[in-house]
C-alpha cells in the first residue's frame, strides 16, 4: 500500500496508525505529499477538527474557516511518481 497524505498533521497520524499495526508495517509506504500535473509547492487550508474539509478548494464563507490554518503542501509530479512506482514493482 502506498498512501499519499499531503497534510503533515494527518501524515503523522498515519505514521502512528502504521506503528500500531506492526504486522502490516512493512507493506505500507506513507508519503507526505499530494500528486498533481507537475511538481510544486502550494498553500492549502487545513481544518484540524474537520479534516475531511481540508484541501486546496474549500467552501468560501465556510462557517468554521476561523478554525483552519494555511499550511504548505508538497505536490509531486504524478507521471514521475507513477514511473518510479512501476520501476520498483
Amino acid at each position: 500500500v502506498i498512501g499519499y497524505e499531503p497534510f503533515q498533521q494527518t501524515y503523522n497520524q498515519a505514521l502512528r496508525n502504521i506503528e500500531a499495526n506492526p504486522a502490516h508495517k512493512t507493506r505500507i509506504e506513507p508519503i507526505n505529499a499530494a500528486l498533481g500535473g507537475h511538481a510544486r509547492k502550494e498553500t492549502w487550508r487545513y481544518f484540524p477538527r474537520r479534516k475531511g474539509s481540508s484541501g486546496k478548494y474549500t467552501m468560501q464563507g465556510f462557517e468554521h474557516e476561523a478554525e483552519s490554518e494555511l499550511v504548505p503542501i508538497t505536490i509531486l509530479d504524478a507521471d514521475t511518481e507513477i514511473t518510479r512506482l512501476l520501476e520498483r514493482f
Side-chain angles (χ1 to χ4, degrees), residues 27-80:
R27 298 169 53 191
I28 303 170
E29 180 182 344
I31 298 174
N32 186 203
L35 295 176
H38 61 278
R40 61 194 182 277
K41 300 280 186 179
E42 289 187 357
T43 301
W44 290 5
R45 190 166 294 282
Y46 178 72
F47 293 86
R49 293 179 49 203
R50 292 171 174 78
K51 294 171 186 66
S53 297
S54 301
K56 179 176 181 175
Y57 302 105
T58 59
M59 294 186 306
Q60 296 239 331
F62 185 55
E63 64 181 286
H64 302 286
E65 194 169 299
E67 299 173 14
S68 69
E69 57 188 276
L70 294 174
V71 296
I73 298 294
T74 298
I75 301 173
L76 303 176
D77 177 75
D79 287 340
T80 302

